[in-house]
Amino acid sequence: MEKINVLGIAPYEELNHSMQVIAAQYSEINASIFTADLEDGQLLAEKMQSEGFDAIISRGGTARLIRQSVSLPVIDVSLSIYDVLSAIRLAENYTENFAIVGYPSITEKAHLLCDLLGYSIEIQTIYDKQDAQTILDTIAEKGYPLILCDAITNRIAQSRAFNTLLITSGLESIKSAFNDAVTIVTQVNQVKREKAILAQGILAQSPYMILFDQAFRTVFTSITDERLQDDIRQSLRTNQTKTGESQLYVAHLDRFFSLNIASYTLDDGIFYSCWLQKQQTPNMRKEGAVTYQKKNDVEDQLAKQLLATQLIPSTIKDELTHYKNSFRAYLVFGESGTAKNKIAKKIYLEQTKNNNYLITIDCKTATDKLWKFLVNAANGPFVDMHNTIFFSNIDQLDLTAIERLLDLIKSTNVLRRNQIIFTYDTNHSDNPHKFDRLVSELHSAKIYAPAVRERKNELNILTTLLLNKVNIAYSKEIMGFEPNALNAFLDYDWPGNFDQLEDCVKELVVNATTHYISDHQVTELLNKERLIHNFASMKILNVKTKNSLHQPTLFDYTKEIILHVLEQNKGNQSKTAAQLGISRTTLWRYLKEDA
């Protein structure tokens, strides 16, 4: 039996992952799954419908838009009552005072659940983005600390600093959509005909060629870079290309192309054959430890990170709003694992002037070659304009290198044309004068990224939101912690801050075997984290083994840590076991064992 080719267009990345999991269960399906929302999803469907697909699976408003512009069957991934109930149960771990906001596909089921179970929950229905803005204003006035919503509302709400839980389609709902796709395609068995315009495109035999119909849908292309295809499409739309021959220039990332266009009429339709030729590379490029990103690339990168915006405190967001027209240099500082890099990228995204490129220079991998590149008149970032230059891990440079960098910044007047951001790790700094020089010489705005222990009052909601995100990313359905487990988890010191917190939530969710994370599971995890932290904090371990020719094992290192802490506690075994988060029995076994 010939396989069914299904195109999946997920409005958000987590649904993409779940669709991949379900698609793998069908031997009769070849699935190509992409992430694109609303109009972007519609354009993607238009572009790919001629690539041999038999059906399209999408969700919500994106599915409705796709139906308007393609001839293929479009199956909507619905939400079940169980999906809504699971989100409500998860929200109850944090607060009983929450609202549900979404399109009718969500709110109709929410109303039904509330009627059946006697819940009293604020439910607001939206029909378009304008509705969402107005309704969110109302929700904000009523002071709800949390809202449950769909992907579209979630994006709007997060831009306004709401705490949100995303109501997602469960695996059963996604599986039902794939079953419908198999049934519909089998019944319809639509036969696609080859078009004469494809043969004309192939005859062009150009290594960089793309063929559009009159609606600028891709009919054929030899260009594998989808973003480049989108840039070409946008150039044709913007310039209102007519029948005949013409030439345009297209900028894509750090490259320029000349675009030769031949348009013609076939079967009462207009088609555009486009040939690309590379032009001389412009100034922007990668060199060693330097990378360039456009604004949409940074936005996409943050969108894929867990709680990228929620980890930035509202006080810092307010600071950035007040500072953006007053400072040209920023110093973002704090411990390892805090949200320093996220804050730096938020500073860049907030800019209205210096947001051409985010040029990131990783000081961990900086070499002598970097200094020549910075001031290169042909392609160095210091000679360009309207960019944000981001020196990450500036603490990794020694004081001499920092003084050299400061002289370079001042002598080139780079701050007149650009903005500079530094991130400074207070755990790794070996000289406090480095911090003082960066502040005083450039009059930098100082932005402090607080540690987890300083945000204990937010830890419950942050953990709940992380749990929701990891559930979606790994197709799990964990509804929360057992009471004692949550208290133990929240009471931990989190020396690795948010990086450690994210890793631990992920590990708990992936290893959970029931719908709730157990007290035992949390205890085992935190004991391991304490041991790892104690291990990492030991600067010198004089580990001896029975045979000097053998390398020390993990047992040897663990025993050495126990002996070190026992000596600090003057032989007090109870205090040592408690400090290391292990039992007296485990401690005794290590002391007795002849390693």
Side-chain angles (χ1 to χ4, degrees):
M1 177 181 174
E2 187 175 353
K3 288 195 174 186
I4 295 169
N5 296 313
V6 174
L7 171 62
I9 299 180
Y12 49 93
E13 195 67 33
E14 293 82 358
L15 180 59
N16 181 312
H17 175 75
S18 297
M19 290 171 70
Q20 302 262 18
V21 171
I22 294 299
Q25 300 174 12
Y26 290 81
S27 59
E28 68 270 38
I29 289 180
N30 281 328
S32 299
I33 300 172
F34 303 86
T35 302
D37 194 14
L38 295 177
E39 291 81 8
D40 290 338
Q42 184 183 33
L43 289 174
L44 180 61
E46 293 172 355
K47 177 176 60 179
M48 299 195 69
Q49 68 169 328
S50 61
E51 299 294 324
F53 292 100
D54 301 301
I56 299 174
I57 296 178
S58 190
R59 183 179 183 272
T62 305
R64 287 196 297 274
L65 286 175
I66 292 172
R67 283 197 187 98
Q68 297 171 9
S69 56
V70 302
S71 58
L72 297 176
V74 179
I75 296 93
D76 193 351
V77 178
S78 63
L79 279 169
S80 68
I81 287 182
Y82 179 79
D83 297 332
V84 180
L85 178 60
S86 296
I88 291 174
R89 295 285 185 178
L90 182 58
E92 288 173 340
N93 288 314
Y94 169 56
T95 178
E96 294 182 357
N97 187 26
F98 57 88
I100 298 176
V101 180
Y103 281 80
S105 61
I106 286 178
T107 57
E108 288 173 1
K109 293 178 177 63
H111 279 297
L112 179 59
L113 268 176
C114 290
D115 290 341
L116 291 174
L117 301 179
Y119 285 138
S120 178
I121 300 174
E122 173 92 9
I123 301 172
Q124 294 283 351
T125 302
I126 62 174
Y127 298 94
D128 54 44
K129 289 183 180 180
Q130 287 70 32
D131 284 343
Q133 297 284 0
T134 303
I135 289 172
L136 289 176
D137 288 339
T138 303
I139 295 296
E141 291 173 2
K142 293 183 178 181
Y144 285 100
L146 179 69
I147 62 173
L148 279 60
C149 57
D150 54 20
I152 300 170
T153 312
N154 181 64
R155 187 182 304 109
I156 299 172
Q158 285 194 348
S159 68
R160 301 179 54 179
F162 278 91
N163 286 323
T164 61
L165 284 181
L166 184 62
I167 302 177
T168 60
S169 299
L171 296 181
E172 286 301 317
S173 299
I174 300 169
K175 189 170 185 178
S176 177
F178 274 85
N179 286 336
D180 290 345
V182 172
T183 302
I184 292 171
V185 172
T186 300
Q187 292 173 346
V188 175
N189 195 21
Q190 182 179 0
V191 178
K192 297 179 175 69
R193 67 178 183 89
E194 285 208 35
K195 300 180 180 179
I197 52 172
L198 181 60
Q200 293 191 37
I202 295 174
L203 290 175
Q205 296 182 353
S206 169
Y208 298 102
M209 182 268 179
I210 188 167
L211 192 62
F212 295 110
D213 64 14
Q214 61 188 13
F216 299 108
R217 293 181 292 242
T218 303
V219 178
F220 173 81
T221 183
S222 60
I223 299 170
T224 58
D225 189 332
E226 293 184 2
R227 289 192 177 183
L228 177 55
Q229 294 182 37
D230 290 338
D231 287 342
I232 297 168
R233 180 183 294 106
Q234 187 58 40
S235 293
L236 264 65
R237 281 179 169 153
T238 302
N239 289 277
Q240 296 293 315
T241 303
K242 304 297 182 181
T243 302
E245 294 185 1
S246 58
Q247 186 176 50
L248 296 174
Y249 288 91
V250 178
H252 174 69
L253 298 179
D254 58 351
R255 294 172 292 169
F256 281 108
F257 295 91
S258 62
L259 185 62
N260 296 298
I261 306 157
S263 53
Y264 51 89
T265 301
L266 183 66
D267 292 338
D268 298 325
I270 299 175
F271 300 92
Y272 305 96
S273 293
C274 309
W275 295 267
L276 272 72
Q277 184 175 355
K278 277 187 179 182
Q279 299 297 307
Q280 184 177 359
T281 303
N283 288 347
M284 300 302 178
R285 65 188 183 93
K286 293 183 178 180
E287 178 70 30
V290 183
T291 59
Y292 292 85
Q293 291 175 288
K294 293 291 284 185
K295 187 174 182 179
N296 60 342
D297 295 323
V298 177
E299 290 172 336
D300 290 346
Q301 187 181 60
L302 284 182
K304 293 177 182 177
Q305 295 177 359
L306 293 177
L307 303 188
T309 57
Q310 289 93 334
L311 293 185
I312 303 176
S314 57
T315 52
I316 291 181
K317 293 176 182 176
D318 292 340
E319 276 186 305
L320 300 184
T321 300
H322 296 146
Y323 289 172
K324 67 179 180 181
N325 294 322
S326 303
F327 289 90
R328 305 300 292 271
Y330 292 81
L331 179 58
V332 184
F333 65 101
E335 295 180 7
S336 301
T338 52
K340 296 188 295 296
N341 279 0
K342 294 178 177 65
I343 294 171
K345 291 175 181 177
K346 180 71 172 176
I347 294 171
Y348 164 71
L349 293 175
E350 290 288 321
Q351 288 297 305
T352 56
K353 184 178 181 181
N354 297 307
N355 60 2
N356 184 22
Y357 277 88
L358 176 66
I359 306 173
T360 302
I361 300 168
D362 188 354
C363 296
K364 283 184 178 179
T365 56
T367 62
D368 289 340
K369 191 176 181 181
L370 172 67
W371 302 104
K372 295 180 180 179
F373 174 68
L374 290 178
V375 292
N376 189 308
N379 59 5
F382 274 26
V383 299
D384 216 317
M385 298 177 64
H386 304 314
N387 297 312
T388 292
I389 306 173
F390 171 27
F391 290 89
S392 68
N393 305 300
I394 191 69
D395 52 278
Q396 296 296 299
L397 298 182
D398 60 31
L399 185 58
T400 301
I402 286 180
E403 294 289 359
R404 183 182 179 186
L405 176 61
L406 291 172
D407 288 341
L408 188 59
I409 290 171
K410 289 187 291 184
S411 64
T412 57
N413 290 318
V414 66
L415 287 176
R416 290 186 181 180
R417 305 179 301 277
N418 302 278
Q419 174 181 254
I420 289 181
I421 303 173
F422 304 100
T423 55
Y424 189 98
D425 195 328
T426 55
N427 293 73
H428 295 148
S429 177
D430 57 354
N431 190 334
H433 294 297
K434 295 191 289 188
F435 184 94
D436 295 337
R437 295 294 292 162
L438 291 166
V439 173
S440 61
E441 287 299 308
L442 302 180
H443 305 289
S444 304
K446 302 181 292 295
I447 308 294
Y448 174 59
V452 169
R453 63 179 176 276
E454 299 170 82
R455 300 178 66 184
K456 281 284 189 176
N457 61 323
E458 302 173 71
L459 192 53
N460 192 352
I461 179 60
L462 291 174
T463 300
T464 301
L465 298 177
L466 271 171
L467 185 60
N468 175 240
K469 297 287 188 182
V470 177
N471 262 340
I472 297 169
Y474 291 90
S475 301
K476 301 283 283 187
E477 296 178 349
I478 307 304
M479 294 184 179
F481 290 74
E482 293 178 356
N484 290 339
L486 181 61
N487 291 336
F489 192 78
L490 297 179
D491 287 342
Y492 183 59
D493 288 338
W494 301 108
N497 292 297
F498 294 108
D499 287 351
Q500 183 187 21
L501 179 68
E502 289 183 22
D503 290 341
C504 286
V505 171
K506 183 188 300 183
E507 185 171 341
L508 289 171
V509 169
V510 170
N511 292 330
T513 56
T514 66
H515 285 296
Y516 288 90
I517 295 169
S518 68
D519 184 30
H520 174 74
Q521 192 182 353
V522 170
T523 299
E524 288 292 314
L525 174 72
L526 295 184
N527 284 344
K528 182 176 71 173
E529 291 298 312
R530 291 186 182 98
L531 189 62
I532 291 172
H533 178 66
N534 282 319
F535 181 81
S537 63
M538 298 283 286
K539 293 184 178 179
I540 300 176
L541 287 174
N542 184 21
V543 179
K544 297 179 181 179
T545 64
K546 289 186 294 184
N547 188 335
S548 60
L549 298 178
H550 291 168
Q551 291 294 322
T553 65
L554 179 60
F555 183 95
D556 299 322
Y557 282 111
T558 304
K559 181 175 180 179
E560 190 66 24
I561 291 172
I562 291 172
L563 292 172
H564 178 81
V565 177
L566 186 65
E567 181 181 356
Q568 289 182 329
N569 292 329
K570 299 179 180 179
N572 188 326
Q573 294 186 9
S574 297
K575 184 177 180 181
T576 299
Q579 184 174 340
L580 292 174
I582 59 178
S583 66
R584 286 281 305 275
T585 302
T586 301
L587 178 75
W588 180 79
R589 180 170 62 83
Y590 274 99
L591 295 178
K592 181 182 178 182
E593 184 75 27
D594 183 9

